[in-house]
């Protein structure tokens, strides 16, 4: 795992009245234990990967309480776990990254939401929306509305988050609706404190088992029960949820100092709003605001009378709602018209329809709203003018830079074992011409960016091979499909390999086997060498493929660029029909470095001989054409001025971050570039033999150098 929570999980044992200090994601875990959950599960993905990591590290605490924890095969499996709460009064929580995970889980979620729940069911979602996001930009809100699930969007404050987790279960039980809680990245990592309560032993668990199965056809998703379930959502569940939200004051109102204007904000971006208001002198660092603010900690369902009450008598109200479509703004308009409240509703007219509401975006939106509607009594006129001038200056500066600023795109890590696969594809293309590559989700998706630009389409996690199915029969060359080991087990084996076999597909599949779900923080996979508990794992991608009848199958070490090119060439040109699979093997370099660093430190401290490999470029040989950089893309490969005064082109240079994977040299060799690369071995704690050899080599080099000068 990227991060261990072994020390922090001690805080999960805090009892009544103690004070927890720490991070949002850990507070969520503590809140789950205080809520008496019986089971937890999920599938990792930013920004909630750490929740899975915390739960894995908290296994001893979970065991004591009898709570079952299951890292699921994918999000659909996690959603299906919640079936336990359909029939029995037991509480459960699952987690994944949204919206991609919610897409995968949506079949299970529709069935769950239709059947309704007896025990509280909470889905903790990492809402990966905005500038740091790595996925398609959509909102979870639409899922909540279509399936009638409550959507909690807590204010990023630990007390608020913990209260809403606990109340989320109660809300779910009161309304029979599953509750989703969306946590943006800032909420996951916000630090703070809250007063803890004792952990609650679940009513049913490992320790206290259910003895009688429950059968109720009304909870089975089959007609005619489904018709009654839909009516139940409208007639009972939604009204019950609205009643609970109102009665338990899940939403919050800050009164402010004016009756003329107000702001309605999603809980998750409340801090950004208050920070923005502070820039106008209308709020302080502790959240006291002069403009009345209604914080929607639950964004679905809305409570109509709460909203109408907040807006009544105001001239204008700003709805701060991140993303599109403007579900909340539309709903507020409808609520106000029905209640005959005549406040002007602003929102997407002053704030952008799409994209994250960063601090600057918020400032621009507030500036637009306040300039039009702020009453003089707030005394914000001067601040509004000042912020307006500042933003205009920023716009001028951006215009001066023009569209020519280079993009800072992400890339593979130094020494990544996935990079050489794409160098090999590029080298193969020199012989066979351009190929169509159906890419997949994972670190390997970075290959679509420069310098490789390999990857023509991305359709979803584990869907690389499936996304070749439509094009392959109509394409004049075999397609290359990519799939990571994470994607393979998540669904690629079922949605890609099995259909390819049964439908007689004739293509090339590259399974990138780096041993972890690296992009989400190195969680273990079914085929990882060891599980999180350190025990060896038994599943193997190779055996699974053989079991499915794949005959053309080979494993290639990714760093062996020459062999990878040769196998790709063969797979693309062989007369043999059917799916040809190359398992590209190479441990994630970042995980490997973390794994071996403590071991190396131990060896050095114990006086043991340690050899590190580094690569370099010989300045005298490098011609400065930089093909190695274009074909390797390693961030450690850079340029420096040529030491030769007669050559103006900079030469290639390997900087100090090099981990000695050897790919640059391999690529130079496989692509027949030049012999500039050399390998150097750095020996720490050398033996007498090492020292003698070093003296001998140094002497020989000096001697030959002297002879050359003399000649
Ligand atoms: S995390 Fe691992 S697999 Fe991903 S880019 Fe870095 S080295 Fe490569
Ligand atoms: S050996 Fe080459 S490719 Fe590998 S990390 Fe060093 S510079 Fe990068």
């Amino acid at each position: 795992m990227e991060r261990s929570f072994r020390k922090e999980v001690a805080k999960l044992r805090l009892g009544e009245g103690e004070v927890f200090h720490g991070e949002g994601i850990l507070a969520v875990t503590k809140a789950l234990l205080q809520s008496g959950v019986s089971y937890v599960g999920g599938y990792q993905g930013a920004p909630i990967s750490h929740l899975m990591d915390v739960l894995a590290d908290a296994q001893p605490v979970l065991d004591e309480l009898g709570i079952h924890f299951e890292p699921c095969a994918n999000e659909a499996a996690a959603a299906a776990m919640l079936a336990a709460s359909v029939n029995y009064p037991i509480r459960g929580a699952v987690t994944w990254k949204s919206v991609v995970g919610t897409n995968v889980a949506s079949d299970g979620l529709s069935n769950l939401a239709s059947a309704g729940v007896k025990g509280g069911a909470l889905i903790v979602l990492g809402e990966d929306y905005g500038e740091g996001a790595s996925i398609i930009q959509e909102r979870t809100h639409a899922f909540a509305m279509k399936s009638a699930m409550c959507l909690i969007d807590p204010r990023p404050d630990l007390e608020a988050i913990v209260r809403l987790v606990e109340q989320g279960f109660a809300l779910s039980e009161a309304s029979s609706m599953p509750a989703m809680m969306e946590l943006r990245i800032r909420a996951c990592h916000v630090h703070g404190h809250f007063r803890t309560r004792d952990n609650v032993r679940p009513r049913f668990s490992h320790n206290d088992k259910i003895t009688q199965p429950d059968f109720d056809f009304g909870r089975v998703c089959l007609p005619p029960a489904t018709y009654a379930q839909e009516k139940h959502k409208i007639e009972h569940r939604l009204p019950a949820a609205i009643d609970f939200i109102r009665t338990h004051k899940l939403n919050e109102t800050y009164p402010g100092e004016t009756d003329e204007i107000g702001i309605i904000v999603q809980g998750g971006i409340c801090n950004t709003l208050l920070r923005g208001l502070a820039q106008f002198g209308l709020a302080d660092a502790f959240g006291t605001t002069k403009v009345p603010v209604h914080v929607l900690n639950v964004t679905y369902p809305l409570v109509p009378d709460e909203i109408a009450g907040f807006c009544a008598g105001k001239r204008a109200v700003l709805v701060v709602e991140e993303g599109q479509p403007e579900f909340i703004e539309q709903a507020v308009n409808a609520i106000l018209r029905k209640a005959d409240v005549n406040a002007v509703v602003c929102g997407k007219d002053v704030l952008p329809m799409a994209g994250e509401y960063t601090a600057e975006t918020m400032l621009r939106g507030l500036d637009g709203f306040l300039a039009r509607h702020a009453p003089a009594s707030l005394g914000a006129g001067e601040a509004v003018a000042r912020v307006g001038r500042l933003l205009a200056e920023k716009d001028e500066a951006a215009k001066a830079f023009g569209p020519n600023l280079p993009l800072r795109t992400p890339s593979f890590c130094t020494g990544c074992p996935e990079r050489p696969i794409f160098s090999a594809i590029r080298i193969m293309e020199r012989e066979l011409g351009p190929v169509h590559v159906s890419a997949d989700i994972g670190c390997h998706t970075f290959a679509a960016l420069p310098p490789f630009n390999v990857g023509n389409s991305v359709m979803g996690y584990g869907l690389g091979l499936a996304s070749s199915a439509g094009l392959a029969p109509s394409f004049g060359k075999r397609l290359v499909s990519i799939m990571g080991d994470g994607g393979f087990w998540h669904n690629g084996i079922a949605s890609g390999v099995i259909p390819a076999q049964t439908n007689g597909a004739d293509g090339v599949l590259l399974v990138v086997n780096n041993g972890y779900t690296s992009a989400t923080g190195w969680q273990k996979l079914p085929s990882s060498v060891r599980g999180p508990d350190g025990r060896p794992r038994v599943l193997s991608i190779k055996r699974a493929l053989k079991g499915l009848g794949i005959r053309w199958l080979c494993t290639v070490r990714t760093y062996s660029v020459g062999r990878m090119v040769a196998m790709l060439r063969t797979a693309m040109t062989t007369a043999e029909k059917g799916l040809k699979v190359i398992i590209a093997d190479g441990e994630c370099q970042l995980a490997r470095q973390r794994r071996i660093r403590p071991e190396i430190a131990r060896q050095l401290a114990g006086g043991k001989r340690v050899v590190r490999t580094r690569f370099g470029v010989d300045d005298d040989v490098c011609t400065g054409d930089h093909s190695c950089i274009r074909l390797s893309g390693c961030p450690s490969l850079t340029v420096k001025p040529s030491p030769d005064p007669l050559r103006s082109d900079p030469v290639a240079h390997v900087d100090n971050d090099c981990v000695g994977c050897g790919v640059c040299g391999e690529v130079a060799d496989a692509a027949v570039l030049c012999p500039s690369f050399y390998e150097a071995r750095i020996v720490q704690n050398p033996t007498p033999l090492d020292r003698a050899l070093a003296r001998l080599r140094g002497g020989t080099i000096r001697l030959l150098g002297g002879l050359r000068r003399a000649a």
Side-chain angles (χ1 to χ4, degrees):
M1 286 185 306
E2 179 190 13
R3 193 174 147 192
S4 167
F5 287 88
R6 290 235 158 86
K7 281 193 197 133
E8 285 101 324
V9 292
K11 297 177 194 171
L12 300 178
R13 295 183 197 277
L14 292 177
E16 193 68 43
E18 295 186 86
V19 179
F20 171 105
H21 290 268
E23 197 174 346
I25 213 74
L26 214 68
V28 171
T29 318
K30 175 67 176 137
L32 293 176
L33 302 184
Q34 292 181 180
S35 303
V37 282
S38 294
Y39 64 95
V40 278
Y43 191 84
Q44 61 276 350
I48 53 76
S49 293
H50 285 169
L51 183 52
M52 293 295 288
D53 298 342
V54 172
L55 289 165
D57 281 338
Q59 194 65 57
V61 187
L62 303 184
D63 286 344
E64 282 165 27
L65 294 163
I67 299 169
H68 175 65
F69 168 55
E70 183 152 330
C72 300
N74 54 35
E75 297 85 351
M81 262 184 102
L82 294 170
S85 299
V86 170
N87 294 97
Y88 304 97
I90 62 177
R91 290 183 168 184
V94 294
T95 185
W96 59 71
K97 174 192 187 91
S98 202
V99 295
V100 284
T102 311
N103 285 335
V104 175
S106 64
D107 192 11
L109 288 178
S110 288
N111 282 277
L112 176 79
S114 189
V117 295
K118 271 189 193 166
L122 187 71
I123 304 139
V124 182
L125 300 168
E127 187 78 353
D128 198 16
Y129 184 87
E131 292 183 357
S134 57
I135 54 164
I136 37 175
Q137 296 295 276
E138 292 179 2
R139 295 173 63 187
T140 305
H141 202 102
F143 288 90
M145 288 169 60
K146 84 165 176 66
S147 295
M149 292 182 279
C150 298
L151 182 60
I152 301 169
D153 189 357
R155 190 161 55 81
D157 164 89
L158 294 202
E159 259 180 35
I161 291 173
V162 168
R163 180 173 83 96
L164 284 154
V165 168
E166 294 173 343
Q167 294 283 10
F169 283 106
L171 169 64
S172 172
E173 282 159 6
S175 63
S176 303
M177 293 162 72
M180 300 201 283
M181 172 177 276
E182 57 178 341
L183 294 177
R184 293 169 177 77
I185 192 154
R186 291 190 185 91
C188 290
H189 301 302
V190 70
H191 278 249
H193 66 272
F194 66 95
R195 207 160 277 284
T196 56
R197 296 192 303 111
D198 287 336
N199 294 336
V200 174
R201 281 179 81 87
R203 186 168 152 205
F204 297 108
S205 70
H206 290 170
N207 304 332
D208 304 287
K209 305 215 173 190
I210 297 164
T211 50
Q212 285 299 320
D214 170 75
F215 179 79
D216 173 2
F217 179 70
R219 291 190 180 271
V220 177
C221 294
L222 187 73
T226 41
Y227 310 135
Q229 288 164 4
E230 191 194 16
K231 282 188 85 179
H232 198 246
K233 281 181 184 176
I234 305 303
E235 291 171 3
H236 298 283
R237 298 183 202 170
L238 280 164
I242 290 168
D243 194 41
F244 185 96
I245 296 162
R246 184 196 301 111
T247 314
H248 293 83
K249 298 190 172 23
L250 298 194
N251 297 322
E252 299 164 278
T253 301
Y254 304 147
E257 294 177 6
T258 174
D259 293 330
E260 296 190 49
I261 60 169
I263 300 176
I264 297 173
V265 63
Q266 290 166 300
I269 49 172
C270 179
N271 292 1
T272 319
L273 169 71
L274 292 173
R275 176 73 186 134
L277 286 172
Q279 303 302 304
F280 294 93
L282 297 175
D284 65 20
F286 305 100
T288 309
T289 164
K290 292 184 183 173
V291 180
V293 175
H294 184 58
V295 184
L296 296 173
N297 289 315
V298 184
T299 50
Y300 186 81
L302 296 175
V303 182
D305 48 305
E306 255 182 23
I307 290 182
F310 177 76
C311 298
K314 293 191 171 54
R315 272 193 297 110
V317 174
L318 173 66
V319 178
V320 181
E321 176 187 13
E322 194 176 54
Q324 51 74 40
E326 71 279 44
F327 295 116
I328 299 173
E329 190 179 331
Q330 288 179 19
V332 167
N333 266 308
I335 289 167
L336 297 193
R337 294 297 75 81
K338 281 183 194 163
D340 201 18
V341 172
N342 292 314
V344 172
V345 177
C346 299
K348 297 296 183 184
D349 53 343
V350 291
L351 283 156
M353 179 64 93
E356 182 179 338
Y357 285 0
T358 58
E360 184 180 328
T361 308
M362 189 70 83
L363 211 55
R364 286 179 189 275
L366 285 173
D367 195 56
F369 176 70
L370 294 170
R372 268 187 246 166
H373 298 290
S377 61
L378 276 179
E382 167 54 24
V384 169
R386 179 171 37 83
V387 171
R389 283 194 301 275
L390 179 81
L391 293 172
E393 273 173 31
K394 279 203 82 172
D395 291 341
E396 280 300 308
K399 232 186 273 165
F401 279 117
N404 302 324
L405 277 180
L407 294 175
R408 286 174 56 198
T409 51
S411 179
F412 296 101
C413 304
T414 297
C416 173
E418 304 189 355
R419 177 183 292 110
I421 300 169
F422 301 99
S423 302
I425 290 177
R426 275 290 179 231
I427 295 169
M428 176 197 72
E429 283 183 318
R430 287 176 166 189
E431 283 176 48
L432 303 184
V435 292
H436 179 100
V437 176
S438 302
D440 207 308
I441 306 278
C443 294
H444 38 85
T445 326
F446 293 149
L449 295 162
F452 301 112
N453 298 119
V454 170
N456 303 67
S457 63
V458 180
M459 294 307 291
Y461 193 33
L463 295 177
L465 181 54
S467 60
S468 288
L471 182 64
S474 312
F475 204 79
K477 225 179 252 175
R478 283 181 180 140
L479 303 194
V480 177
S481 309
I482 310 282
M483 196 187 284
D485 44 3
F488 179 88
W489 294 114
H490 178 270
N491 80 82
I493 186 169
S495 57
V497 182
I498 294 172
Q501 274 296 73
T502 49
N503 296 320
D506 180 26
V508 180
L509 171 64
L510 263 162
V511 180
V512 183
N513 186 33
N514 70 17
Y516 311 83
T517 52
S518 305
T520 60
W522 308 304
Q523 288 77 18
K524 306 288 181 163
L525 295 163
S527 52
S528 294
V529 177
R530 290 179 188 282
D533 52 7
R535 280 187 301 191
R537 291 215 150 154
V538 292
L539 294 186
S540 129
I541 291 175
K542 192 170 183 180
R543 283 201 300 276
L545 288 167
K546 278 190 175 163
L548 291 173
I550 305 286
R551 281 177 298 143
W552 202 108
L553 177 63
C554 66
T555 303
V556 181
R557 193 176 161 271
T558 59
Y559 294 114
S560 308
V561 177
R563 184 163 145 69
M564 183 64 84
V565 175
M567 294 318 293
L568 277 167
R569 186 191 301 120
T570 311
M572 289 295 287
T573 54
T574 176
E576 191 173 329
K577 297 284 180 210
L579 187 64
K580 286 152 275 288
V581 185
I582 301 172
I583 300 176
D585 234 357
E587 184 181 4
C588 164
Q589 187 66 239
L590 218 54
R592 181 174 176 274
Q593 291 299 319
R594 288 187 186 219
R595 185 171 60 74
I596 63 174
R597 204 174 294 144
E599 178 54 28
I600 290 176
R602 254 194 307 278
Q603 288 177 358
L604 287 174
K608 296 235 170 72
R609 178 178 184 268
V610 173
V611 183
R612 276 192 300 130
T613 307
R614 289 285 310 276
F615 279 71
V617 175
D618 188 335
D619 298 346
D620 290 337
V621 183
C622 176
T623 60
D625 81 335
H626 309 143
S627 312
C628 53
I629 293 176
R630 285 192 293 276
L631 275 171
S632 156
C634 176
S636 281
L637 262 183
T638 178
V639 290
K640 68 172 191 185
S642 171
D644 184 343
L646 298 177
R647 291 194 341 223
S648 56
D649 282 340
V651 292
H653 171 67
V654 176
D655 73 15
N656 269 342
D657 291 337
C658 168
V659 294
C661 71
V663 161
C664 47
E666 282 272 345
V667 168
D669 186 47
V672 201
L673 295 180
C674 68
S676 313
F677 286 88
Y678 64 81
E679 180 182 333
R681 284 186 209 123
I682 302 158
V683 182
Q684 288 169 284
N685 294 332
T687 62
L689 181 62
D690 288 322
R691 289 181 193 280
L693 278 172
R695 273 196 298 274
L696 182 64
R697 284 175 186 139
T700 309
I701 290 167
R702 274 193 299 279
L703 179 67
L704 292 175
L707 287 178
R708 199 173 70 165
R709 267 197 303 278

